[in-house]
Amino acid sequence: GASAAMELGAAAPTPRVRPPMDAAARVAETAAQAATLGDWGPIFVYGSFSMPQAWMPLLGRVPEMTAATLRGHVRRSVRFGGFAALMEDPDGFVIGQLVTGLRPAERRLLDHAVDDGFELATVKVRSLGETIGDLECVTYRWREEFEDALDGEKDWDIEVYMEEHLDEFMELCTDMRKSHDLESLSDEDLKARMLSRRRR
């Protein structure tokens, strides 16, 4: 009985109050949640991938897209290939699409489809028609060391791109998806696929 009496008189455990999170901790928690859910977070696109038809050949689906604006940047045209590039400019303003719900494998595929002239950058965008504040996301920004590849101060022209470059870009995306699918096959699956082709 004496030990039971001592237990009754023991102090209740102090309730644990979560310390307030700083910005870095909030970002880390969001990243951890995204990793658990299989989504690496939103990405802002402003050129060829702002068109739904560019996603189908790459992913086999069109992801969730919302019109959004990005301040402090301008969109330029790359001289060769006809694609759009994003450059920092304090007076700039770019309208694009905020893409959400990409799975890690899809995001890696997107990274492969994007030219080496780009680097990932963290930015804040605002969804059009939304009253909530800015959303943090990533985007592909043109590397400063390749600035001479830009077509001067010329903005990217979606109509010219669709006429002259979209078909070729969609073929590239289709090829990338096929090679990605082959790379992710096990050796046995790859062997079976090759043998079934020979039999035809």
Side-chain angles (χ1 to χ4, degrees), residues 142-153:
W142 192 247
R143 295 175 192 268
E144 276 184 44
E145 63 261 35
F146 301 127
E147 204 170 335
D148 58 342
L150 300 179
D151 198 358
E153 300 281 303

mmCIF file with all atom_site columns, all heavy atoms in Angstrom, residues 142-153:
data_model
loop_
_atom_site.group_PDB
_atom_site.id
_atom_site.type_symbol
_atom_site.label_atom_id
_atom_site.label_alt_id
_atom_site.label_comp_id
_atom_site.label_asym_id
_atom_site.label_entity_id
_atom_site.label_seq_id
_atom_site.pdbx_PDB_ins_code
_atom_site.Cartn_x
_atom_site.Cartn_y
_atom_site.Cartn_z
_atom_site.occupancy
_atom_site.B_iso_or_equiv
_atom_site.pdbx_formal_charge
_atom_site.auth_seq_id
_atom_site.auth_comp_id
_atom_site.auth_asym_id
_atom_site.auth_atom_id
_atom_site.pdbx_PDB_model_num
ATOM 1   N N   . TRP A 1 142 ? 16.731 31.649 -65.007 1.00 0.00 ? 142 TRP A N   1
ATOM 2   C CA  . TRP A 1 142 ? 17.855 31.587 -65.946 1.00 0.00 ? 142 TRP A CA  1
ATOM 3   C C   . TRP A 1 142 ? 19.140 31.986 -65.235 1.00 0.00 ? 142 TRP A C   1
ATOM 4   O O   . TRP A 1 142 ? 19.162 32.962 -64.489 1.00 0.00 ? 142 TRP A O   1
ATOM 5   C CB  . TRP A 1 142 ? 17.576 32.512 -67.121 1.00 0.00 ? 142 TRP A CB  1
ATOM 6   C CG  . TRP A 1 142 ? 18.510 32.328 -68.288 1.00 0.00 ? 142 TRP A CG  1
ATOM 7   C CD1 . TRP A 1 142 ? 19.426 33.228 -68.734 1.00 0.00 ? 142 TRP A CD1 1
ATOM 8   C CD2 . TRP A 1 142 ? 18.602 31.198 -69.163 1.00 0.00 ? 142 TRP A CD2 1
ATOM 9   N NE1 . TRP A 1 142 ? 20.094 32.726 -69.825 1.00 0.00 ? 142 TRP A NE1 1
ATOM 10  C CE2 . TRP A 1 142 ? 19.606 31.471 -70.108 1.00 0.00 ? 142 TRP A CE2 1
ATOM 11  C CE3 . TRP A 1 142 ? 17.935 29.967 -69.221 1.00 0.00 ? 142 TRP A CE3 1
ATOM 12  C CZ2 . TRP A 1 142 ? 19.968 30.577 -71.121 1.00 0.00 ? 142 TRP A CZ2 1
ATOM 13  C CZ3 . TRP A 1 142 ? 18.288 29.074 -70.223 1.00 0.00 ? 142 TRP A CZ3 1
ATOM 14  C CH2 . TRP A 1 142 ? 19.285 29.378 -71.153 1.00 0.00 ? 142 TRP A CH2 1
ATOM 15  N N   . ARG A 1 143 ? 20.213 31.247 -65.458 1.00 0.00 ? 143 ARG A N   1
ATOM 16  C CA  . ARG A 1 143 ? 21.497 31.533 -64.816 1.00 0.00 ? 143 ARG A CA  1
ATOM 17  C C   . ARG A 1 143 ? 22.123 32.795 -65.423 1.00 0.00 ? 143 ARG A C   1
ATOM 18  O O   . ARG A 1 143 ? 22.174 32.928 -66.641 1.00 0.00 ? 143 ARG A O   1
ATOM 19  C CB  . ARG A 1 143 ? 22.473 30.370 -65.004 1.00 0.00 ? 143 ARG A CB  1
ATOM 20  C CG  . ARG A 1 143 ? 22.054 29.100 -64.318 1.00 0.00 ? 143 ARG A CG  1
ATOM 21  C CD  . ARG A 1 143 ? 23.052 27.985 -64.677 1.00 0.00 ? 143 ARG A CD  1
ATOM 22  N NE  . ARG A 1 143 ? 22.550 26.687 -64.269 1.00 0.00 ? 143 ARG A NE  1
ATOM 23  C CZ  . ARG A 1 143 ? 22.810 26.120 -63.099 1.00 0.00 ? 143 ARG A CZ  1
ATOM 24  N NH1 . ARG A 1 143 ? 23.548 26.742 -62.209 1.00 0.00 ? 143 ARG A NH1 1
ATOM 25  N NH2 . ARG A 1 143 ? 22.327 24.930 -62.811 1.00 0.00 ? 143 ARG A NH2 1
ATOM 26  N N   . GLU A 1 144 ? 22.603 33.661 -64.553 1.00 0.00 ? 144 GLU A N   1
ATOM 27  C CA  . GLU A 1 144 ? 23.188 34.925 -65.013 1.00 0.00 ? 144 GLU A CA  1
ATOM 28  C C   . GLU A 1 144 ? 24.343 34.720 -65.979 1.00 0.00 ? 144 GLU A C   1
ATOM 29  O O   . GLU A 1 144 ? 24.525 35.494 -66.914 1.00 0.00 ? 144 GLU A O   1
ATOM 30  C CB  . GLU A 1 144 ? 23.685 35.757 -63.813 1.00 0.00 ? 144 GLU A CB  1
ATOM 31  C CG  . GLU A 1 144 ? 22.589 36.563 -63.179 1.00 0.00 ? 144 GLU A CG  1
ATOM 32  C CD  . GLU A 1 144 ? 23.100 37.454 -62.058 1.00 0.00 ? 144 GLU A CD  1
ATOM 33  O OE1 . GLU A 1 144 ? 24.158 38.090 -62.231 1.00 0.00 ? 144 GLU A OE1 1
ATOM 34  O OE2 . GLU A 1 144 ? 22.431 37.493 -61.007 1.00 0.00 ? 144 GLU A OE2 1
ATOM 35  N N   . GLU A 1 145 ? 25.119 33.649 -65.777 1.00 0.00 ? 145 GLU A N   1
ATOM 36  C CA  . GLU A 1 145 ? 26.280 33.438 -66.656 1.00 0.00 ? 145 GLU A CA  1
ATOM 37  C C   . GLU A 1 145 ? 25.892 33.128 -68.102 1.00 0.00 ? 145 GLU A C   1
ATOM 38  O O   . GLU A 1 145 ? 26.725 33.180 -68.998 1.00 0.00 ? 145 GLU A O   1
ATOM 39  C CB  . GLU A 1 145 ? 27.230 32.360 -66.096 1.00 0.00 ? 145 GLU A CB  1
ATOM 40  C CG  . GLU A 1 145 ? 26.641 30.963 -65.975 1.00 0.00 ? 145 GLU A CG  1
ATOM 41  C CD  . GLU A 1 145 ? 26.176 30.638 -64.561 1.00 0.00 ? 145 GLU A CD  1
ATOM 42  O OE1 . GLU A 1 145 ? 25.689 31.542 -63.854 1.00 0.00 ? 145 GLU A OE1 1
ATOM 43  O OE2 . GLU A 1 145 ? 26.292 29.459 -64.178 1.00 0.00 ? 145 GLU A OE2 1
ATOM 44  N N   . PHE A 1 146 ? 24.607 32.820 -68.345 1.00 0.00 ? 146 PHE A N   1
ATOM 45  C CA  . PHE A 1 146 ? 24.142 32.536 -69.709 1.00 0.00 ? 146 PHE A CA  1
ATOM 46  C C   . PHE A 1 146 ? 23.271 33.669 -70.258 1.00 0.00 ? 146 PHE A C   1
ATOM 47  O O   . PHE A 1 146 ? 22.518 33.478 -71.203 1.00 0.00 ? 146 PHE A O   1
ATOM 48  C CB  . PHE A 1 146 ? 23.353 31.218 -69.744 1.00 0.00 ? 146 PHE A CB  1
ATOM 49  C CG  . PHE A 1 146 ? 24.165 30.027 -69.283 1.00 0.00 ? 146 PHE A CG  1
ATOM 50  C CD1 . PHE A 1 146 ? 23.683 29.195 -68.289 1.00 0.00 ? 146 PHE A CD1 1
ATOM 51  C CD2 . PHE A 1 146 ? 25.403 29.742 -69.830 1.00 0.00 ? 146 PHE A CD2 1
ATOM 52  C CE1 . PHE A 1 146 ? 24.418 28.095 -67.850 1.00 0.00 ? 146 PHE A CE1 1
ATOM 53  C CE2 . PHE A 1 146 ? 26.151 28.655 -69.400 1.00 0.00 ? 146 PHE A CE2 1
ATOM 54  C CZ  . PHE A 1 146 ? 25.657 27.826 -68.416 1.00 0.00 ? 146 PHE A CZ  1
ATOM 55  N N   . GLU A 1 147 ? 23.394 34.846 -69.666 1.00 0.00 ? 147 GLU A N   1
ATOM 56  C CA  . GLU A 1 147 ? 22.558 35.982 -70.062 1.00 0.00 ? 147 GLU A CA  1
ATOM 57  C C   . GLU A 1 147 ? 22.722 36.343 -71.539 1.00 0.00 ? 147 GLU A C   1
ATOM 58  O O   . GLU A 1 147 ? 21.792 36.811 -72.182 1.00 0.00 ? 147 GLU A O   1
ATOM 59  C CB  . GLU A 1 147 ? 22.882 37.197 -69.185 1.00 0.00 ? 147 GLU A CB  1
ATOM 60  C CG  . GLU A 1 147 ? 21.735 38.179 -69.120 1.00 0.00 ? 147 GLU A CG  1
ATOM 61  C CD  . GLU A 1 147 ? 21.941 39.256 -68.065 1.00 0.00 ? 147 GLU A CD  1
ATOM 62  O OE1 . GLU A 1 147 ? 22.677 39.042 -67.087 1.00 0.00 ? 147 GLU A OE1 1
ATOM 63  O OE2 . GLU A 1 147 ? 21.338 40.327 -68.248 1.00 0.00 ? 147 GLU A OE2 1
ATOM 64  N N   . ASP A 1 148 ? 23.916 36.083 -72.111 1.00 0.00 ? 148 ASP A N   1
ATOM 65  C CA  . ASP A 1 148 ? 24.142 36.415 -73.522 1.00 0.00 ? 148 ASP A CA  1
ATOM 66  C C   . ASP A 1 148 ? 23.327 35.538 -74.476 1.00 0.00 ? 148 ASP A C   1
ATOM 67  O O   . ASP A 1 148 ? 23.213 35.848 -75.659 1.00 0.00 ? 148 ASP A O   1
ATOM 68  C CB  . ASP A 1 148 ? 25.634 36.345 -73.862 1.00 0.00 ? 148 ASP A CB  1
ATOM 69  C CG  . ASP A 1 148 ? 26.254 34.978 -73.588 1.00 0.00 ? 148 ASP A CG  1
ATOM 70  O OD1 . ASP A 1 148 ? 25.649 34.195 -72.825 1.00 0.00 ? 148 ASP A OD1 1
ATOM 71  O OD2 . ASP A 1 148 ? 27.335 34.688 -74.145 1.00 0.00 ? 148 ASP A OD2 1
ATOM 72  N N   . ALA A 1 149 ? 22.728 34.455 -73.974 1.00 0.00 ? 149 ALA A N   1
ATOM 73  C CA  . ALA A 1 149 ? 21.874 33.597 -74.817 1.00 0.00 ? 149 ALA A CA  1
ATOM 74  C C   . ALA A 1 149 ? 20.457 34.152 -74.946 1.00 0.00 ? 149 ALA A C   1
ATOM 75  O O   . ALA A 1 149 ? 19.655 33.654 -75.737 1.00 0.00 ? 149 ALA A O   1
ATOM 76  C CB  . ALA A 1 149 ? 21.820 32.189 -74.243 1.00 0.00 ? 149 ALA A CB  1
ATOM 77  N N   . LEU A 1 150 ? 20.140 35.189 -74.157 1.00 0.00 ? 150 LEU A N   1
ATOM 78  C CA  . LEU A 1 150 ? 18.803 35.788 -74.224 1.00 0.00 ? 150 LEU A CA  1
ATOM 79  C C   . LEU A 1 150 ? 18.703 36.705 -75.431 1.00 0.00 ? 150 LEU A C   1
ATOM 80  O O   . LEU A 1 150 ? 19.689 37.289 -75.879 1.00 0.00 ? 150 LEU A O   1
ATOM 81  C CB  . LEU A 1 150 ? 18.504 36.581 -72.945 1.00 0.00 ? 150 LEU A CB  1
ATOM 82  C CG  . LEU A 1 150 ? 18.520 35.785 -71.642 1.00 0.00 ? 150 LEU A CG  1
ATOM 83  C CD1 . LEU A 1 150 ? 18.240 36.702 -70.464 1.00 0.00 ? 150 LEU A CD1 1
ATOM 84  C CD2 . LEU A 1 150 ? 17.525 34.642 -71.678 1.00 0.00 ? 150 LEU A CD2 1
ATOM 85  N N   . ASP A 1 151 ? 17.488 36.830 -75.944 1.00 0.00 ? 151 ASP A N   1
ATOM 86  C CA  . ASP A 1 151 ? 17.237 37.667 -77.119 1.00 0.00 ? 151 ASP A CA  1
ATOM 87  C C   . ASP A 1 151 ? 16.992 39.112 -76.669 1.00 0.00 ? 151 ASP A C   1
ATOM 88  O O   . ASP A 1 151 ? 15.872 39.632 -76.766 1.00 0.00 ? 151 ASP A O   1
ATOM 89  C CB  . ASP A 1 151 ? 16.035 37.107 -77.887 1.00 0.00 ? 151 ASP A CB  1
ATOM 90  C CG  . ASP A 1 151 ? 15.962 37.630 -79.311 1.00 0.00 ? 151 ASP A CG  1
ATOM 91  O OD1 . ASP A 1 151 ? 16.817 38.462 -79.684 1.00 0.00 ? 151 ASP A OD1 1
ATOM 92  O OD2 . ASP A 1 151 ? 15.046 37.210 -80.044 1.00 0.00 ? 151 ASP A OD2 1
ATOM 93  N N   . GLY A 1 152 ? 18.036 39.725 -76.128 1.00 0.00 ? 152 GLY A N   1
ATOM 94  C CA  . GLY A 1 152 ? 17.944 41.115 -75.663 1.00 0.00 ? 152 GLY A CA  1
ATOM 95  C C   . GLY A 1 152 ? 16.888 41.281 -74.581 1.00 0.00 ? 152 GLY A C   1
ATOM 96  O O   . GLY A 1 152 ? 16.780 40.475 -73.670 1.00 0.00 ? 152 GLY A O   1
ATOM 97  N N   . GLU A 1 153 ? 16.081 42.337 -74.713 1.00 0.00 ? 153 GLU A N   1
ATOM 98  C CA  . GLU A 1 153 ? 15.026 42.644 -73.735 1.00 0.00 ? 153 GLU A CA  1
ATOM 99  C C   . GLU A 1 153 ? 13.685 42.046 -74.164 1.00 0.00 ? 153 GLU A C   1
ATOM 100 O O   . GLU A 1 153 ? 12.655 42.336 -73.574 1.00 0.00 ? 153 GLU A O   1
ATOM 101 C CB  . GLU A 1 153 ? 14.863 44.170 -73.607 1.00 0.00 ? 153 GLU A CB  1
ATOM 102 C CG  . GLU A 1 153 ? 16.119 44.888 -73.156 1.00 0.00 ? 153 GLU A CG  1
ATOM 103 C CD  . GLU A 1 153 ? 16.331 44.765 -71.659 1.00 0.00 ? 153 GLU A CD  1
ATOM 104 O OE1 . GLU A 1 153 ? 15.444 45.158 -70.886 1.00 0.00 ? 153 GLU A OE1 1
ATOM 105 O OE2 . GLU A 1 153 ? 17.403 44.253 -71.274 1.00 0.00 ? 153 GLU A OE2 1
#
